[in-house]
Amino acid sequence: MLKKDCYLLGTITKTRGFKGDLVFFLDVTDSNEYEKLESVFVELNGMLTPFFIEQIKIQNNNRAFVKLENVNSEEEALKLTSKAIYLPLSSLPKLTGSKFYDHEIPGFLVHDKDFGEIGKAVQVVDLTNNPLLQIDKDGIEILVPLREGTVTKVDRQNKTLHIQVPPGLIDLYLEQ
């Protein structure tokens, strides 16, 4: 499996106990959607290595207690801490309308209802309770809060993100 065919699910944060159990941080909106997770890819030495899950218990704050197959000691588990975990993009459900996955929109052209074409989406800056859309307009960084209703349409075919922001917000970034 290649990294370009996967999305970052989270990281292995630490060991738990002495029998190889681990704690995962799941960088997702709803960690409960992963309570039946059967396997993950762990990035080891620049390559994605598959691991099967024996047991997973979802906790609060996007944490999960995980027992991986063939990881049976604290020493084996320690080798996996601080490693990124991935899942195949094909495992994600298709989204429609104004919904999108953060990883899919970098490079999309961003178009505001009133302002018109703004620039290219760089990334979603995932701040707690205040995610931001980072846009590059000819070298100028523009940050748009991703509140409910900001994104009005995602045109995947034409790689365009349609948004509606308060009047004057874009102009604040462009005034010299």
Side-chain angles (χ1 to χ4, degrees):
M1 182 68 59
L2 300 174
K3 196 187 286 190
K4 71 176 184 68
D5 299 323
C6 295
Y7 69 96
L8 179 67
L9 177 62
T11 55
I12 301 173
T13 57
K14 61 183 180 178
T15 62
R16 181 171 183 264
F18 302 104
K19 297 183 179 180
D21 292 358
L22 294 158
V23 178
F24 285 10
F25 170 73
L26 303 177
D27 190 10
V28 297
T29 304
D30 183 5
S31 57
N32 290 315
E33 293 178 4
Y34 296 88
E35 65 187 356
K36 296 188 188 292
L37 194 60
E38 296 178 355
S39 64
V40 293
F41 288 92
V42 179
E43 185 173 18
L44 298 172
N45 301 319
M47 298 185 65
L48 296 184
T49 305
F51 282 87
F52 290 98
I53 295 174
E54 282 183 17
Q55 185 176 17
I56 185 168
K57 291 181 184 173
I58 303 297
Q59 305 297 308
N60 293 333
N61 301 323
N62 286 20
R63 303 274 188 266
F65 298 153
V66 179
K67 176 67 174 110
L68 297 175
E69 282 185 10
N70 301 318
V71 178
N72 299 310
S73 70
E74 184 179 20
E75 293 77 28
E76 291 171 333
L78 274 171
K79 293 176 186 174
L80 299 175
T81 59
S82 301
K83 302 295 185 196
I85 50 178
Y86 293 86
L87 288 177
L89 287 170
S90 60
S91 67
L92 289 172
K94 297 284 185 211
L95 297 179
T96 59
S98 63
K99 297 190 183 291
F100 61 89
Y101 294 111
D102 293 356
H103 67 268
E104 73 178 313
I105 62 159
F108 275 37
L109 186 63
V110 181
H111 188 274
D112 179 67
K113 179 182 177 207
D114 297 321
F115 185 87
E117 183 180 309
I118 301 171
K120 296 245 180 187
V122 176
Q123 68 175 337
V124 172
V125 181
D126 197 10
L127 302 175
T128 307
N129 298 325
N130 191 31
L132 301 169
L133 175 62
Q134 180 184 8
I135 304 167
D136 175 58
K137 177 165 179 56
D138 302 322
I140 298 171
E141 177 187 63
I142 298 172
L143 298 173
V144 174
L146 286 175
R147 303 180 331 204
E148 184 78 28
T150 298
V151 176
T152 58
K153 181 181 174 187
V154 179
D155 183 348
R156 288 170 177 82
Q157 184 173 355
N158 295 310
K159 293 193 174 256
T160 305
L161 190 66
H162 296 270
I163 64 173
Q164 183 172 357
V165 299
L169 178 66
I170 307 300
D171 296 321
L172 288 174
Y173 286 96
L174 302 178
E175 293 175 352
Q176 297 294 339

